[in-house]
Amino acid sequence: MSSPAVSVIIPAWNEERTITATLRALRPFADHVDAELIVVDDGSSDRTADLAEALCHYVVRHAVNKGKGAALQSGLAQSNGEVILFLDADLRETAAYANLLLQPVLDGRADMSVACFVPRRKRGGFGLVKRLARYGIEALSGYQCKAPLSGQRAIKKSVLERIGRFSSGFGVEVGMTIDAAVLGFRIVEVDIPFCHRLTGNDVSGWTHRGRQFFAVGLTLWSKWRKPIC
């Protein structure tokens, strides 16, 4: 049996409400491009892993929550494709647009493509994390980006092997962008009508943004102290 051309890696933590719709939307796309679907259950306390098993090719289970960076690393270790497609578990039906994200890499126009979400009227927070990430990426790599925090990315596995280990937690996308840009890989951003759950303006939402701000700041500090070469 030949290896798949594409590996779709979906990190998930307590996503029983969304994982089924996301995987169902991806199945036709996966069959068309010869892709394997890998869900990494990052220590969920709900039925995320059980629901995913019925619809994907592999489920990687973490006994405890290890964070997004570790989840992506576990999925990558399981993957067989030459191109890796990272997608969030809460895209639901809009996951069907994944082909738009993948195409620039398959066509040879990019080494990594990043999805820019279509703007929505409802917003959470004040964009502090996004501004920090965008400024930090430009300062450390010279690359100007619109979607520094987007977790929807297609990237050649050879690029990931050159980058090495991911940054931890919510800083993983920022670290990935900095390293790819510094190493001279071609990055494109693509406007795609993906839609996922917005972080609210309640205590939980602000706690999440605080953790994200800290993780992004830590990643920027790490990349400044020890840049990739």
Side-chain angles (χ1 to χ4, degrees):
M1 182 176 179
S2 60
S3 298
V6 178
S7 295
V8 183
I9 299 176
I10 304 172
W13 180 62
N14 291 337
E15 292 288 355
E16 66 178 6
R17 295 182 179 181
T18 62
I19 192 66
T20 296
T22 298
L23 290 173
R24 282 177 175 168
L26 282 171
R27 287 306 302 232
F29 156 79
D31 292 341
H32 178 69
V33 301
D34 184 25
E36 60 181 359
L37 301 178
I38 302 171
V39 172
V40 182
D41 178 60
D42 192 24
S44 297
S45 59
D46 63 7
R47 298 184 301 146
T48 296
D50 293 336
L51 293 173
E53 278 190 333
L55 294 167
C56 70
H57 298 96
Y58 306 103
V59 174
V60 180
R61 296 177 185 249
H62 288 175
V64 296
N65 183 261
K66 298 182 179 181
K68 191 172 186 180
L72 296 186
Q73 199 76 53
S74 293
L76 184 62
Q78 179 67 54
S79 67
N80 298 291
E82 296 179 359
V83 176
I84 306 299
L85 185 60
F86 296 121
L87 296 175
D88 290 342
D90 62 352
L91 295 177
R92 298 182 187 259
E93 290 77 10
T94 65
Y97 292 112
N99 63 302
L100 301 178
L101 180 58
L102 185 63
Q103 208 57 51
V105 177
L106 293 184
D107 289 348
R109 291 182 284 123
D111 300 304
M112 179 170 73
S113 59
V114 182
C116 296
F117 282 54
V118 175
R120 296 169 65 180
R121 291 184 179 180
K122 181 180 178 181
R123 293 178 178 271
F126 302 103
L128 295 178
V129 182
K130 188 174 182 179
R131 286 200 291 272
L132 172 65
R134 184 184 290 134
Y135 173 80
I137 290 170
E138 183 177 0
L140 293 174
S141 71
Y143 177 66
Q144 296 180 331
C145 58
K146 295 189 298 181
L149 302 174
S150 177
Q152 326 317 309
R153 296 167 182 248
I155 184 168
K156 295 177 181 178
K157 179 178 274 189
S158 58
V159 174
L160 292 173
E161 291 172 344
R162 178 67 180 86
I163 289 174
R165 292 195 62 83
F166 293 124
S167 298
S168 61
F170 294 117
V172 60
E173 288 90 6
V174 171
M176 195 185 306
T177 300
I178 291 171
D179 289 343
V182 168
L183 291 170
F185 291 112
R186 299 165 300 162
I187 306 171
V188 301
E189 294 183 303
V190 186
D191 292 328
I192 300 177
F194 283 141
C195 181
H196 67 172
R197 181 176 56 253
L198 289 176
T199 304
N201 282 318
D202 53 10
V203 174
S204 176
W206 283 105
T207 299
H208 171 80
R209 280 188 286 274
R211 292 172 57 203
Q212 192 176 32
F213 189 92
F214 177 79
V216 169
L218 191 62
T219 295
L220 294 175
W221 171 257
S222 174
K223 296 301 178 183
W224 178 74
R225 288 290 304 274
K226 191 176 181 180
I228 195 168
C229 57

